[in-house]
Amino acid sequence: MRFIAGKTAALAAVLTAVLVVPQPASAAAQLIGNGTFNSSTAPWSAIGQTTVALDAQRLRVDVKAVVANPWDAMVAAPTTAALNPGKSYTLSFDAYSTIAFKATATVQYKATPSSNQSLATGVQLTTSSKRYSIPFTAASATDTAAEVTFQLGGSGGTPAVRFDNVSLMETQTTRPTALFVWNQSNPAKFVTANPNASQTPAISANIANKPIFEWFGGWFSDITQAVDTYVGAAQAQDKLPMLVAYNIPNRDACANQSGGGAGDAAGYHTWITEFAKAIGTRHAIVVLEPDAVAAAGCVTQIGKNPEDQYAMLLDATQVLKAQAPNAWVYLDAANATWLAPNVIAPLLVKSGIANTRGFSVNVSNYFLTADSETYAVGVNAQLSGTVGAKKYVIDTSRNGNGPYTDSTPEDNWCNPPGRKLGVPPAKQSSGAEYVFWVKVPGDSDGVCNASTKPAGQFDPDLAVALIRG
């Protein structure tokens, strides 16, 4: 069970051409009136030593003179509604500059801007576009009419700074119950790009319209942009986003179809920190590093120490708990036949399961739900003597016909024939907290058996085979 590798392109902006789910009345309101700059710069205004202009559907801000104070060269826009004191918000934007320097982003009350800022933080701009995602809590004030500003003075020069995709939204007070269906999932993108393909009707009706996890790893050049785009799209619909963190060093050391990951522990700490900060205080579900606990022993084959793998996972759980406090994190606990409950439970403990909501089972595998339930109950029986029993979730994306059994082990997990979609994702009233489609149905396990596509790439024929069983 070693499975999903990367996609090769950064996430695009959310499209509206396919699978658009109407926003409910409780959807999070966008508090920036014009953050995409498609046709104008209004209501953004230049303050002090700046000018603003529209530049290739971006806001271009030119600093006209060298000034000492950040606020001597600013651009600002009012929010479309007042802030709610004590509530959590996220300010996100893309930016780059002709010279690298530290700017200041603020969300402040217009009546008392210098003394009553809900957010005032340094933002290290570079010459390449980056996504910035900053959570904050609105301060108390009598007059809560607010504005967003970018203060660009104090650089020692006269930079030109470009902004795009500026967003300000309040985090939902109540955790969403509906799961997010994204129109940029691999199956949905296939449907959009191939309207006349023979596989499209079946994929559109049976897979692309379902809530499926999005996988995140080193294939994204800007992990903040990737995560923030996805989580923000879910937040705008008041839906619950579902993410897989899949970038641990020495990934998939047992089989290597999905090999890769961060270069070392320090690189992984940086990556998982950016991943968690991009979620911020928003609600989410995270499955943490499929196979990493169970496969840690395989790293000895490449001269690595399994204890280092557990230590990196422990660090990841601590980072997620601190930086993404409203994310429900499930540390992966493999499947019903890989490691026995009494073997994997202590490995989960040293990998930080105490910092998470629980564990996931059967990710990318085929075992029947009943077998996964029995396994999860066994794991909890072992955990009860240490960290206590935990919530658990089951991946049902491909378990409709149960596992495939062949004398060649790889045939049993790598695009095996005759498998079928399992029950669709849903909250459960007993047993597993959720059944999910963590593995994207139709994404290849690697170049093996029925697919010639690398791990993580969508294969429409595999998808249709899962629909038909």
Side-chain angles (χ1 to χ4, degrees), residues 102-371:
K102 181 172 284 189
T104 301
T106 80
V107 180
Q108 59 192 27
Y109 295 125
K110 293 191 290 184
T112 54
S114 61
S115 61
N116 207 343
Q117 295 173 326
S118 293
L119 170 69
T121 186
V123 177
Q124 185 62 53
L125 300 180
T126 69
T127 56
S128 298
S129 182
K130 290 180 60 178
R131 186 72 172 166
Y132 302 85
S133 182
I134 308 165
F136 67 94
T137 301
S140 298
T142 302
D143 185 348
T144 54
E147 63 183 354
V148 173
T149 80
F150 297 111
Q151 301 179 1
L152 308 176
S155 70
T158 56
V161 184
R162 291 168 175 84
F163 296 94
D164 201 3
N165 300 314
V166 185
S167 170
L168 177 64
M169 285 193 285
E170 180 182 341
T171 300
Q172 305 97 313
T173 300
T174 303
R175 187 176 185 83
T177 56
L179 303 176
F180 181 45
V181 178
W182 202 33
N183 59 13
Q184 288 293 289
S185 70
N186 277 355
K189 286 192 289 188
F190 174 83
V191 169
T192 302
N194 301 276
N196 299 317
S198 61
Q199 307 99 323
T200 292
I203 294 171
S204 179
N206 295 280
I207 298 176
N209 62 348
K210 299 294 191 295
I212 305 169
F213 273 70
E214 189 68 20
W215 291 61
F216 295 88
W219 49 90
F220 291 114
S221 60
D222 186 340
I223 189 62
T224 298
Q225 180 187 53
V227 172
D228 182 68
T229 298
Y230 174 71
V231 175
Q235 181 186 15
Q237 295 184 9
D238 195 36
K239 300 293 176 63
L240 196 57
M242 302 160 293
L243 307 87
V244 175
Y246 195 55
N247 199 39
I248 193 169
N250 315 309
R251 188 179 64 212
D252 196 24
C254 295
N256 209 39
Q257 285 282 0
S258 299
D264 55 25
Y268 184 58
H269 175 80
T270 297
W271 183 88
I272 198 68
T273 300
E274 292 179 0
F275 173 91
K277 284 185 173 180
I279 297 171
T281 56
R282 295 175 289 192
H283 300 287
I285 289 173
V286 175
V287 166
L288 180 60
E289 298 296 346
D291 294 353
V293 174
C298 293
V299 302
T300 58
Q301 301 171 12
I302 54 175
K304 305 292 183 179
N305 187 345
E307 295 300 322
D308 293 337
Q309 302 296 111
Y310 306 134
M312 285 186 283
L313 289 167
L314 172 61
D315 178 68
T317 65
Q318 293 168 339
V319 167
L320 284 161
K321 183 177 181 179
Q323 301 294 341
N326 289 323
W328 286 1
V329 178
Y330 300 90
L331 179 62
D332 190 61
N335 64 64
T337 65
W338 192 343
L339 297 179
N342 67 321
V343 176
I344 199 164
L347 304 182
L348 291 170
V349 172
K350 69 168 61 180
S351 299
I353 196 170
N355 300 318
T356 71
R357 186 167 179 85
F359 58 93
S360 55
V361 300
N362 204 48
V363 171
S364 300
N365 221 302
Y366 308 89
F367 292 98
L368 294 170
T369 302
D371 295 330

Side-chain angles (χ1 to χ4, degrees), residues 175-177 179 240 285 328 330 357 392-396 425-428 431-436:
R175 187 176 185 83
T177 56
L179 303 176
L240 196 57
I285 289 173
W328 286 1
Y330 300 90
R357 186 167 179 85
Y392 60 91
V393 298
I394 299 172
D395 184 0
T396 59
K427 190 112 170 37
Q428 303 296 289
E433 187 163 32
Y434 285 92
V435 293
F436 283 133

Side-chain angles (χ1 to χ4, degrees), residues 31-43:
L31 300 179
I32 295 295
N34 176 21
T36 55
F37 312 106
N38 290 331
S39 59
S40 76
T41 62

